[in-house]
Amino acid sequence: MAPGTSDGRAWTRWLLGVFLTACVLVTVGCVWWGVVEMRRSFDRPETDYDRAERLAGLHYKQHPGKGRYYIPTAAALSRAADGSPVAYLHFGIAGGDYANIDDFLHTYDLPKPGSVAPLPQDLRAALPGDEPAEGLLLPVGQAGRQIFVVMRPSDVEGAGDVYVRATGT
């Protein structure tokens, strides 16, 4: 090459630097995408049980810091005639020192049961099993939610069943 003209090596070095920078950016983007997708795949998909618990206000994420939660024995999610969702839940409480009706009520900040009331027919029809005709109705706390406590005759104190019917938007 003639003196005073730039050689091709400077241009090649610049092009190599741009190429390597692009490679690093693409690699970082792929790693970021992979981490996001892995976190998303580890999240448990929401089920009808979760939706029913959330509608009833009894989902564990709605009561942070409690340390214990109750899992429904049965749950169903359907729609009312007007299209609004309706959740039906049944909690079987074994009784004893740690898992009893009083602890259930305390865990979810619910009041003590009141008077005897009939379980709604749609609740009895939605849940599998032989649901009782009546239970102790908790005073209204959340609009659209009815909670019934049925004490189970058992040798273990505090054993019973909790039935929930919740409607919402």
Side-chain angles (χ1 to χ4, degrees):
M1 289 203 173
T5 61
S6 64
D7 61 5
R9 287 185 293 176
W11 174 254
T12 306
R13 249 182 278 156
W14 179 83
L15 192 57
L16 182 61
V18 169
F19 176 73
L20 289 175
T21 302
C23 287
V24 168
L25 290 175
V26 168
T27 302
V28 167
C30 288
V31 167
W32 179 261
W33 175 78
V35 167
V36 167
E37 287 302 312
M38 278 183 38
R39 289 197 67 218
R40 187 178 302 159
S41 68
F42 287 129
D43 287 343
R44 199 179 78 176
E46 191 171 65
T47 63
D48 280 349
Y49 269 54
D50 293 323
R51 289 182 196 98
E53 282 182 284
R54 199 176 298 280
L55 183 62
L58 300 175
H59 194 266
Y60 71 93
K61 288 184 179 177
Q62 293 171 314
H63 300 273
K66 290 294 184 174
R68 66 182 294 127
Y69 305 98
Y70 289 84
I71 299 170
T73 310
L77 190 63
S78 72
R79 298 240 173 237
D82 65 357
S84 62
V86 181
Y88 306 99
L89 298 165
H90 170 234
F91 294 89
I93 312 295
D97 292 337
Y98 299 108
N100 55 49
I101 295 292
D102 289 335
D103 182 62
F104 179 89
L105 297 174
H106 175 71
T107 298
Y108 295 108
D109 299 320
L110 298 170
K112 296 284 185 191
S115 60
V116 175
L119 267 70
Q121 188 60 34
D122 61 335
L123 181 130
R124 294 179 65 206
L127 294 174
D130 188 23
E131 278 65 48
E134 59 186 23
L136 298 172
L137 179 64
L138 271 66
V140 176
Q142 176 181 329
R145 179 174 74 177
Q146 296 173 301
I147 300 177
F148 300 87
V149 174
V150 178
M151 300 307 288
R152 191 182 311 147
S154 172
D155 294 339
V156 182
E157 187 176 340
D161 295 293
V162 178
Y163 295 94
V164 182
R165 180 187 187 275
T167 59
T169 55

